[in-house]
Amino acid sequence: MKYIVCQEPGTFVIKERDAPTRKPGEALIRIKKVGICGTDLHAFQGNQPFFDYPRILGHELAGEVLEIDDNRRGLKPGDLAIVMPYYTCGKCIACAQGKTNCCTSMEVLGVHIDGGMQEILSLPLEVLIPAGKLTSNEIALVEPLSIGAHSVQRAQLLAGETALVTGCGPIGIGVMKFAKLAGAKVIAMDVNQQRLDFVSEKIGVDHTILVGQNTSENILDYNQGELPTAVFDATGNKQALEAGVQFISHGGRYLLVGLYKDDLCFNHPHLHKKEGSILASRNATFKDFYQVIDMLKTGSFPATDYITHEVHFTEMIDHFDSWIKPETGVIKAMVNW
Ligand SMILES: [Zn+2]
Ligand SMILES: [Zn+2]
């Protein structure tokens, strides 16, 4: 079988080896789709912290079951499956509270251990979820969209609240979708007008703001003189992350969904007088995965528009570089296996 390995920053190599043999408690999975995300781009560029090479990337996966034993989720050969790419210990302090998304010894497929850029993988039964009638493209979107679902859950966002989401990339779009489903009024902010148009038309956000256009006044004008009670950062950009805190209302919360690799600086009196809460939101749980699956089953997510680029894996190496450039208009690139 063929696989693609990131040998070192900037270098992918396509190689061949025997398919794995299935161990007890595992299922043999043929990979159908691998979604490309920021983590993969950072790993390729060499700026993903704590990353070891060589590594087979790929954690947004759609697979088909080739071989499997009887299992509690009822998966059978021929079924399409969603892969939960977070391997958790089940017994640390976080897992014991049900917060498996921040397990102390978390290993993520395609990050800490070899991932899905290979034709066949043998995976533990616990990480496989039946996909029902979802298409393989939709299946590969479950993981990235679950990050947004988790952050909205973490914020305990209520109907009627106003939420500001900064960053209309693949993660921000998921946050906006689930904030809308929670019944919030959603304001989207970005530096790119095309992306604002996308979330306005396809996700139904209520208001959009192009960064730099008197942002605070714009929010207050739109929201009857009040700031949003929840602000979500989906940029991971230092400047945006540090600026975002000024947009929360008194008593509001600030959700850090995007990740910046170093220190952030906030003005304490400013945060204190508002009794603001800063909440990090990491990965997702099974509950979030199931929420995304249910949402996708309704057909209300514009999966076809969200996937802007699709290539066969034999052509991935030639295209990968271009997905780093914003001018290619990429939201989600998908690699077909
Ligand atoms: Zn991802
Ligand atoms: Zn754990």
Side-chain angles (χ1 to χ4, degrees), residues 33-37 40 58-62 85 140-141 143-144 332 334:
K33 303 268 178 179
V34 178
I36 302 300
C37 102
D40 304 310
H59 60 274
E60 302 180 358
L61 310 176
L141 298 186
E143 193 271 343
K332 178 61 67 188
M334 194 64 78

Side-chain angles (χ1 to χ4, degrees), residues 31 185 197 257 293:
I31 294 295
K185 203 158 69 170
D197 295 342
V257 192
I293 294 163

Side-chain angles (χ1 to χ4, degrees), residues 205-218:
V205 304
D206 300 278
H207 184 62
T208 61
I209 298 174
L210 190 64
V211 173
Q213 292 182 333
N214 301 325
T215 316
S216 297
E217 292 87 333
N218 194 325

Side-chain angles (χ1 to χ4, degrees), residues 89-92 95 103-104:
C89 78
K91 42 185 195 276
C92 72
C95 286
C103 171
T104 57

Side-chain angles (χ1 to χ4, degrees), residues 140-217:
L141 298 186
V142 173
E143 193 271 343
L145 293 177
S146 72
I147 308 294
H150 183 76
S151 70
V152 171
Q153 184 67 39
R154 174 110 172 90
Q156 297 188 297
L157 195 65
L158 299 174
E161 284 195 73
T162 300
L164 169 69
V165 185
T166 55
C168 299
I171 298 297
I173 291 171
V175 177
M176 292 169 201
K177 177 69 189 173
F178 285 96
K180 282 300 293 175
L181 283 175
K185 203 158 69 170
V186 177
I187 305 172
M189 190 152 84
D190 201 281
V191 291
N192 181 322
Q193 185 60 48
Q194 257 182 322
R195 286 190 161 192
L196 290 170
D197 295 342
F198 180 90
V199 294
S200 184
E201 284 160 33
K202 306 289 181 185
I203 304 296
V205 304
D206 300 278
H207 184 62
T208 61
I209 298 174
L210 190 64
V211 173
Q213 292 182 333
N214 301 325
T215 316
S216 297
E217 292 87 333

